[in-house]
């Protein structure tokens, strides 16, 4: 049995950050265990190929939800990275921190010390922004961010149309004002996907005190009394046990982290007993509070042949790939999500609750619904669904996938927000800026106007934005549903922390990779016993008229 100071379970976005930060001190012996394998694939490293690894079982756990009653019984795809870098190696490379008010809300929800003032310094520490830093943005962190080139005229048309519809422009959705329309950051460096593996793990792997094991399936956490002292894992048909002198840190993500806690005896007592698992700590919140973002693709035909449809043929895609291999530039070096927007769905909403990604192509995100004509689309969806789901064991066998139920669209407010998405987007695409390009409405279709028609369209066509979270939520000790405290320590046991998007008390306004990396940066200081970075006093924008106006 090998002995380490820290064992990190999962080399995803959070695990890679922790591997780097904890091994920076040569005295710390750090082990990282990842069930997936190498990320050395053109499909992972080339930004525009993002839909390919997401649909490969080699890189994706290929989870599916239980049938979702609110979506007509559909089972929803829930991709999770199974590779070095985790989901940061198969995601859409979008860098959105969330709205500052999200983190002030976290503190109100019991995550003491996680207000915007507290977390902004960690966002800055993580980031190296190509356009330079300021009081909001970082300049010399491991995670490279940049803007797209905005070469396609449709990006500009989208921003102009939004302003014509009465929405503000924002210089930086990750800076002072998230609300409005502007450029979208991506995690790309020198034309390559800048995953957490590229940013944090690979540089750290040069250190002799860091060991990374791949194809290692962790089966359970080992306890002596109530203290985590190691883990049992299976690798190549052999069962192994390793010991942690200081701490075991679970960074499996919002699906695997609650599963492993339950397999180790931490979770709702009744569920554990049902599967014959001895109850070490009765924590009813483990696997509950599951949250996600839904979105649909509002698609318009283009009357001009300027969209990415021209690049969808085999020869054209081959040329894009060849150029990327030779020069790391061109259409292969972008995720194509280069402009975006954040708006409020109605008066009385204090900060944006709808998000837009714009794409100069009409296609599904997974790449399967291939474009059949020139078109463009906005991905749009609500940010703060009131629906709550769960992750539960299917069996006590670690090899069995857990059951996942999002309970999508189970709250009436979710339906009202989706109707607003349809109507507000249609209004944006009707503006003068799109006059030179606007063809027919491919989806939802011009006849989808009534509440009933919109509800039916959503049930059939809405997709996950792939932001599962909140299944091991951080909160106060007095909250029976909280799983970890504000330093990510698991309640009811010692020597064990959870650090990944599962500990978010509530989902943030936007994509989850940036806040997950921030979360791990801050947790690293807690684990090492370092004082937190000094809080920021940078202000953030809240619309003066939010109580009475939608824009």
């Amino acid at each position: 049995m090998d002995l380490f100071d820290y064992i990190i379970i999962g080399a995803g976005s959070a695990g890679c950050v922790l591997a780097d930060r904890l091994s920076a001190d040569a005295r710390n012996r750090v082990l990282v265990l990842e069930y997936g394998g190498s990320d050395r694939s053109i499909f992972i490293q080339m930004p525009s190929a993002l839909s390919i690894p997401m649909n490969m079982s080699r890189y994706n756990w290929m989870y599916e939800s239980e049938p979702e009653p609110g979506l007509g019984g559909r089972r929803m795809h829930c991709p999770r990275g199974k590779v070095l870098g985790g989901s940061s190696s198969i995601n859409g490379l979008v860098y959105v921190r969330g709205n500052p008010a999200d983190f002030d809300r976290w503190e109100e929800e019991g995550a003491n010390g996680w207000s915007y003032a507290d977390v902004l310094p960690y966002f800055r520490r993580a980031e190296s922004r190509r356009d330079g830093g300021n009081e909001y943005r970082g300049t010399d962190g491991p995670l490279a961010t940049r803007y797209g080139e905005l070469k396609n005229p449709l990006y500009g048309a989208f921003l102009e149309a939004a302003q014509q519809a009465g929405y503000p422009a924002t210089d930086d959705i990750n800076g002072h004002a998230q609300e409005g329309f502007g450029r979208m950051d991506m995690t790309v460096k020198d034309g390559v996907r800048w995953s957490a593996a590229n940013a944090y793990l690979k540089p750290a792997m040069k250190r002799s005190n860091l060991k990374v094991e791949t194809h290692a399936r962790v089966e359970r956490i080992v306890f002596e009394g109530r203290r985590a002292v190691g883990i049992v894992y299976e690798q190549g048909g052999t069962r192994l046990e390793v010991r942690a002198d200081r701490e075991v840190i679970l960074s499996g993500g919002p699906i695997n982290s609650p599963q492993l806690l339950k397999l180790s005896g931490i979770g709702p007592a009744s569920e554990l007993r049902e599967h014959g698992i001895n109850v070490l700590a009765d924590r009813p919140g483990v696997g509950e509070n599951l949250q996600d973002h839904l979105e649909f693709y509002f698609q318009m035909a283009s009357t001009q042949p300027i969209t990415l449809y021209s690049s969808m043929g085999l020869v054209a895609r081959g040329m894009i790939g060849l150029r990327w291999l030779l020069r790391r530039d061109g259409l292969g070096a972008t995720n194509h999500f280069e402009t975006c927007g954040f708006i409020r769905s109605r008066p009385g909403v204090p900060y944006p609750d709808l998000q837009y990604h714009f794409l100069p192509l009409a296609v599904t995100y997974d790449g399967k619904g291939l474009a059949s004509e020139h078109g463009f689309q906005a991905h749009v969806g609500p940010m703060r669904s009131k629906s709550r789901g769960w992750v539960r064991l299917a069996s006590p066998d670690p090899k069995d996938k857990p059951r996942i139920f999002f309970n999508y669209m189970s709250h009436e407010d979710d339906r009202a927000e989706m109707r607003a998405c349809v109507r507000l987007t249609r209004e944006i695409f009707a503006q003068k800026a799109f006059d030179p390009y606007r063809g027919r409405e491919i989806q939802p279709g011009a006849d989808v106007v009534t509440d009933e028609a919109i509800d039916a369209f959503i049930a059939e066509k809405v997709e996950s934005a792939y932001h599962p979270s909140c299944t091991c939520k951080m909160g106060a000790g007095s909250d029976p549903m909280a799983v970890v405290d504000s330093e990510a320590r698991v309640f009811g046991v010692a020597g064990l922390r959870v650090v990944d998007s599962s500990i978010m008390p509530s989902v943030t306004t936007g994509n989850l990779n940036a806040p997950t990396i921030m979360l791990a940066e801050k947790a690293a200081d807690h684990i090492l016993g370092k004082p937190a970075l000094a809080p920021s006093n940078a202000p953030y924008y809240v619309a003066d008229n939010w109580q009475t106006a939608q824009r």
Side-chain angles (χ1 to χ4, degrees):
M1 288 191 299
D2 287 331
L3 186 62
F4 295 87
D5 293 300
Y6 300 104
I7 297 173
I8 300 165
I9 304 168
S13 298
C16 289
V17 174
L18 294 174
D20 177 29
R21 296 306 188 190
L22 300 187
S23 67
D25 183 335
R27 295 169 297 182
N28 291 335
R29 299 158 298 169
V30 181
L31 172 66
V32 179
L33 297 167
E34 167 58 44
Y35 183 52
S38 168
D39 63 342
R40 286 182 192 159
S41 161
I42 181 177
F43 299 131
I44 288 176
Q45 300 301 331
M46 184 167 79
S48 70
L50 61 93
S51 71
I52 297 174
M54 186 187 291
N55 290 286
M56 294 173 68
S57 59
R58 179 177 179 180
Y59 303 122
N60 179 3
W61 285 89
M62 303 300 279
Y63 290 132
E64 264 193 345
S65 76
E66 301 283 298
E68 294 284 345
L71 303 182
R74 292 159 63 200
R75 286 183 182 269
M76 300 296 281
H77 186 36
C78 180
R80 295 283 87 202
K82 186 181 69 177
V83 59
L84 292 178
S87 295
S88 76
S89 289
I90 66 166
N91 69 1
L93 302 90
V94 169
Y95 182 80
V96 175
R97 292 176 173 181
N99 193 284
D102 292 328
F103 306 103
D104 289 343
R105 185 185 73 238
W106 280 11
E107 182 142 86
E108 291 165 12
E109 291 168 338
N112 194 34
W114 290 81
S115 72
Y116 183 62
D118 296 311
V119 304
L120 178 54
Y122 289 97
F123 277 119
R124 294 183 69 238
R125 183 169 87 177
E127 185 186 19
S128 176
R129 184 188 187 218
R130 197 178 71 165
D131 282 26
N134 53 37
E135 60 183 326
Y136 301 96
R137 305 301 292 263
T139 52
D140 52 10
L143 187 68
T145 65
R146 56 160 293 178
Y147 289 127
E149 305 291 342
L150 298 183
K151 287 183 175 172
N152 194 298
L154 289 165
Y155 290 122
F158 180 64
L159 298 182
E160 192 180 345
Q163 289 182 64
Q164 289 170 350
Y167 295 105
T170 174
D171 289 339
D172 184 2
I173 58 135
N174 290 310
H176 172 254
Q178 185 193 50
E179 183 163 344
F181 287 76
R183 294 179 296 176
M184 195 167 224
D185 298 90
M186 64 181 83
T187 48
V188 172
K189 182 178 183 182
D190 300 328
V192 174
R193 172 192 289 272
W194 214 239
S195 65
N198 284 337
Y200 287 91
L201 185 64
K202 288 175 188 173
M205 285 172 74
K206 298 180 178 128
R207 300 171 186 151
S208 60
N209 61 320
L210 173 65
K211 187 176 183 182
V212 178
E213 294 282 357
T214 55
H215 306 295
R217 184 196 287 273
V218 178
E219 295 186 341
R220 63 184 170 86
I221 300 160
V222 177
F223 289 87
E224 286 179 359
R226 304 186 77 79
R227 181 168 190 86
V229 295
I231 55 103
V232 173
Y233 70 100
E234 182 267 328
Q235 187 181 45
T238 305
R239 185 167 279 103
L240 302 156
E241 184 172 334
V242 284
R243 306 272 294 188
D245 243 5
R246 295 192 189 170
E247 294 191 31
V248 175
I249 303 152
L250 179 48
S251 296
I255 310 302
N256 294 5
S257 284
Q259 180 191 26
L260 190 58
L261 286 177
K262 290 177 180 185
L263 291 172
S264 306
I266 301 167
S270 58
E271 183 186 350
L272 301 188
R273 291 191 185 110
E274 182 188 324
H275 293 289
I277 298 168
N278 290 329
V279 180
L280 180 69
D282 179 10
R283 300 306 303 179
V286 176
E288 301 301 304
N289 194 44
L290 175 61
Q291 298 175 38
D292 191 20
H293 292 142
L294 283 175
E295 63 181 16
F296 65 89
Y297 314 133
F298 198 116
Q299 299 177 328
M300 302 293 297
S302 174
T303 56
Q304 293 194 36
I306 57 168
T307 75
L308 294 173
Y309 181 62
S310 305
S311 307
M312 289 292 104
L314 210 56
V315 173
R317 282 193 291 176
M319 294 303 291
I320 290 167
L322 182 62
R323 176 171 173 174
W324 182 85
L325 283 167
L326 294 173
R327 296 171 46 180
R328 296 291 192 267
D329 67 359
L331 290 176
T334 173
N335 61 358
H336 302 294
F337 295 120
E338 298 185 9
T339 54
C340 64
F342 290 88
I343 65 173
R344 291 171 286 117
S345 61
R346 57 182 170 78
V349 176
Y351 65 100
D353 60 342
L354 306 181
Q355 178 183 15
Y356 287 96
H357 303 62
F358 181 78
L359 191 64
L361 179 69
V363 68
T364 54
Y365 189 15
D366 63 11
K368 290 177 181 172
L370 196 61
S372 55
E373 62 186 296
H374 278 284
F376 48 89
Q377 70 189 33
H379 296 205
V380 56
M383 293 288 99
R384 292 190 290 285
S385 165
K386 293 188 171 71
S387 299
R388 297 288 180 270
W390 44 254
V391 175
R392 294 177 187 162
L393 296 178
S395 85
D397 185 344
K399 292 186 175 68
D400 285 347
K401 292 179 180 180
R403 296 170 61 216
I404 303 166
F405 180 59
F406 289 97
N407 203 22
Y408 289 128
M409 302 301 293
S410 59
H411 196 286
E412 178 54 39
D413 288 359
D414 297 351
R415 287 190 284 278
E417 287 163 2
M418 280 294 184
R419 293 169 199 148
C421 288
V422 171
R423 289 167 177 144
L424 296 171
T425 308
R426 191 170 274 150
E427 183 188 13
I428 290 169
F429 281 146
Q431 299 299 317
K432 191 166 185 275
F434 276 113
D435 285 355
Y437 314 110
R438 186 193 315 104
R440 68 188 175 86
E441 186 178 303
I442 302 171
Q443 181 175 290
D447 56 333
V448 178
V449 290
T450 65
D451 287 0
E452 294 74 19
I454 293 172
D455 291 351
F457 162 74
I458 293 298
E460 184 185 355
K461 293 291 191 182
V462 79
E463 299 291 341
S464 170
Y466 309 141
H467 301 156
S469 50
C470 310
T471 48
C472 300
K473 78 169 186 176
M474 180 170 20
S478 57
D479 179 355
M481 297 303 286
V483 177
V484 302
D485 69 10
S486 56
E487 294 194 5
R489 296 173 294 209
V490 177
F491 286 117
V493 295
L496 177 63
R497 298 190 206 230
V498 181
V499 180
D500 55 41
S501 68
S502 73
I503 72 170
M504 295 179 175
S506 51
V507 70
T508 53
T509 305
N511 312 66
L512 296 193
N513 190 237
T516 301
I517 287 171
M518 172 281 292
L519 206 148
E521 284 275 12
K522 189 171 186 293
D525 279 356
H526 295 313
I527 293 164
L528 294 168
K530 291 184 174 181
L533 297 179
S536 168
N537 59 4
Y540 65 85
Y541 172 83
V542 178
D544 293 334
N545 65 349
W546 69 265
Q547 289 172 309
T548 56
Q550 182 261 331
R551 68 192 92 164

